[in-house]
Amino acid sequence: MKILDLVSEKEIKEALLAEYEKKIILYKLTDERLKKKYEMSFNEFEEKNIVKEKDFSWEVEKDAMDWEHAVEGIRHLQEKIDKIKKADNGY
């Protein structure tokens, strides 16, 4: 038995979009928390090489990795959402 025999394509799309939106919210929370902590955007953080400035401390390294993951996650998931919505609209 195939999953489409049990659940409609529309329900799958809605569930997938809801999951992506939830993940984006979590990534945005990380982005906002780190913006406040460092009082700058991720791009500024990278341009100013804050990791080096803070002597490559584990805390700053971990923040940099988490922050990059969040920013890239937001971008990647938003692209997927846009593609799904565009496909759903027949474009």
Side-chain angles (χ1 to χ4, degrees):
M1 181 175 283
K2 294 181 181 179
I3 194 162
L4 287 175
D5 294 334
L6 302 171
V7 183
S8 73
E9 185 177 337
K10 182 180 178 189
E11 286 177 288
I12 293 170
K13 284 180 184 176
E14 288 173 358
L16 189 58
L17 288 171
E19 183 64 24
Y20 287 168
E21 291 288 350
K22 185 171 74 172
K23 284 182 179 182
I24 284 177
I25 289 168
L26 294 174
Y27 287 146
K28 285 182 177 182
L29 287 172
T30 297
D31 183 38
E32 288 303 314
R33 177 179 58 83
L34 293 169
K35 277 181 185 175
K36 270 188 179 176
K37 181 175 182 177
Y38 292 98
E39 299 179 339
M40 63 184 78
S41 70
F42 178 70
N43 287 337
E44 291 171 304
F45 181 88
E46 288 281 287
E47 288 169 8
K48 293 180 180 182
N49 203 355
I50 301 299
V51 174
K52 182 178 179 182
E53 182 182 303
K54 301 289 184 177
D55 294 324
F56 301 94
S57 78
W58 172 244
E59 178 184 357
V60 178
E61 288 266 4
K62 184 174 179 339
D63 285 348
M65 289 184 289
D66 291 347
W67 207 350
E68 182 175 24
H69 181 73
V71 169
E72 283 302 309
I74 292 166
R75 183 196 58 74
H76 177 72
L77 289 176
Q78 192 59 59
E79 282 179 7
K80 286 184 139 192
I81 288 169
D82 293 345
K83 284 179 183 177
I84 290 168
K85 287 181 176 180
K86 190 179 277 191
D88 204 32
N89 289 331
Y91 295 105

